[in-house]
């Protein structure tokens, strides 16, 4: 019971406006989760886990003040992917105006694919981003797909489901998006060869 009160207190602290304190609390939450003696029932307490992820998603991931370190800490902990809360915000961040934010966001998505859920699972929930209203997000998704292929290989994805979305972006009104889509197709071809040509022929 004492451990749950401790987590409740930390969740309250997550909501404060002071960024430095929020980051410190993120480290404390990670340590609490990873210490089986302090939180032996954490993985079984789905309600508490859900509340923790909801709180972090609403106060950090959706925050205009993006700091990657706190999110890396939590993604590295043994927490389910919670794609409904986290992934939409991370897709939005691929279109952030700052290069650093986009880079950290893509790195975090790759960490999720590596430590929380497999790449195919994540990409099935990200494909709606190819129609995102922000052109920078559409471009960012293409760049993220290239990184996914380079890190995990083509065998990690069902590319036949993704290629049609990439093809649609070849007609995007924004040149950077069209360029990103073309780079995607080149990268896919580099990994799977003639199979992508056959898929394109079918489309």
């Amino acid at each position: 019971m004492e451990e749950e009160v401790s987590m409740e207190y930390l969740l309250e602290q997550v909501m404060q406006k002071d960024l430095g304190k929020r980051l410190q609390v993120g480290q404390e939450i990670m340590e609490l989760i990873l210490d089986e003696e302090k939180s032996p029932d954490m993985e079984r307490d789905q309600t508490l886990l859900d509340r923790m992820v909801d709180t972090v998603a609403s106060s950090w991931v959706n925050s205009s003040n993006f700091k990657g370190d706190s999110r890396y800490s939590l993604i590295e902990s043994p927490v389910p992917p919670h794609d409904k809360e986290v992934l939409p915000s991370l897709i939005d961040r691929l279109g952030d105006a700052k290069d650093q934010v986009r880079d950290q966001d893509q790195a975090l998505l790759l960490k999720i694919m590596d430590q929380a859920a497999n790449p195919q699972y994540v990409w099935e929930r990200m494909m709606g981003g190819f129609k995102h209203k922000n052109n920078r997000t559409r471009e960012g998704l293409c760049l993220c797909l290239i990184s996914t292929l380079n890190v995990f290989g083509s065998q990690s994805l069902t590319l036949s489901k993704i290629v049609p979305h990439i093809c649609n972006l070849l007609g995007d009104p924004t040149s950077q998006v069209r360029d990103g889509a073309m780079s995607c197709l080149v990268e896919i071809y580099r990994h799977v060869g003639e199979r992508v040509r056959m898929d394109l022929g079918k489309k």
Side-chain angles (χ1 to χ4, degrees):
M1 184 67 183
E2 183 180 347
E3 288 78 12
E4 185 171 337
V5 171
S6 177
M7 178 58 82
E8 294 282 352
Y9 171 76
L10 291 175
L11 288 178
E12 289 177 11
Q13 301 306 302
V14 166
M15 301 301 290
Q16 11 180 18
K17 293 182 179 179
D18 186 310
L19 179 63
K21 290 182 179 177
R22 288 212 312 260
L23 292 175
Q24 181 181 350
V25 171
Q27 182 65 29
E28 291 179 38
I29 290 176
M30 182 185 75
E31 290 172 1
L32 180 64
I33 292 172
L34 294 179
D35 190 330
E36 293 184 2
E37 291 184 7
K38 291 182 180 177
S39 55
D41 299 322
M42 181 63 67
E43 289 191 56
R44 293 192 294 273
D45 192 342
Q46 191 63 46
T47 302
L48 187 57
L49 275 173
D50 287 344
R51 285 190 52 224
M52 182 192 70
V53 174
D54 287 345
T55 303
V56 171
S58 62
S59 66
W60 285 347
V61 180
N62 292 327
S63 168
S64 59
N65 197 337
F66 186 101
K67 287 286 183 181
D69 291 346
S70 54
R71 287 163 233 200
Y72 282 115
S73 298
L74 286 167
I75 289 301
E76 288 172 355
S77 64
V79 178
H82 286 79
D83 47 276
K84 290 181 181 178
E85 295 88 356
V86 177
L87 284 180
S89 295
L90 294 179
I91 292 170
D92 288 343
R93 288 295 181 188
L94 286 173
D96 196 276
K98 296 179 181 177
D99 291 344
Q100 181 187 9
V101 172
R102 296 196 303 274
D103 291 345
Q104 287 183 344
D105 190 67
Q106 184 180 128
L108 181 51
L109 284 166
L110 293 175
K111 271 190 177 288
I112 291 174
M113 295 178 208
D114 182 47
Q115 299 183 16
N118 65 60
Q120 181 61 32
Y121 177 94
V122 174
W123 272 99
E124 283 177 358
R125 287 148 184 80
M126 286 174 59
M127 282 192 276
F130 287 118
K131 296 180 180 178
H132 199 281
K133 61 183 180 181
N134 185 341
N135 62 284
R136 204 188 292 264
T137 297
R138 299 193 300 274
E139 178 192 7
L141 221 58
C142 293
L143 299 176
C144 189
L145 179 58
I146 291 172
S147 296
T148 303
L149 288 169
N150 287 328
V151 172
F152 300 102
S154 60
Q155 72 283 352
S156 67
L157 297 171
T158 305
L159 289 171
S160 59
K161 293 183 177 180
I162 301 176
V163 167
H165 296 279
I166 303 296
C167 290
N168 287 337
L169 293 184
L170 292 173
D172 196 274
T174 307
S175 62
Q176 290 92 333
V177 177
R178 296 195 300 271
D179 292 344
M182 183 57 71
S183 296
C184 253
L185 288 177
V186 170
E187 192 65 28
I188 292 171
Y189 186 84
R190 190 174 75 80
H191 280 269
V192 302
E194 290 301 312
R195 273 172 43 205
V196 71
R197 189 190 296 272
M198 293 167 58
D199 279 346
L200 289 172
K202 293 175 184 176
K203 308 302 175 189

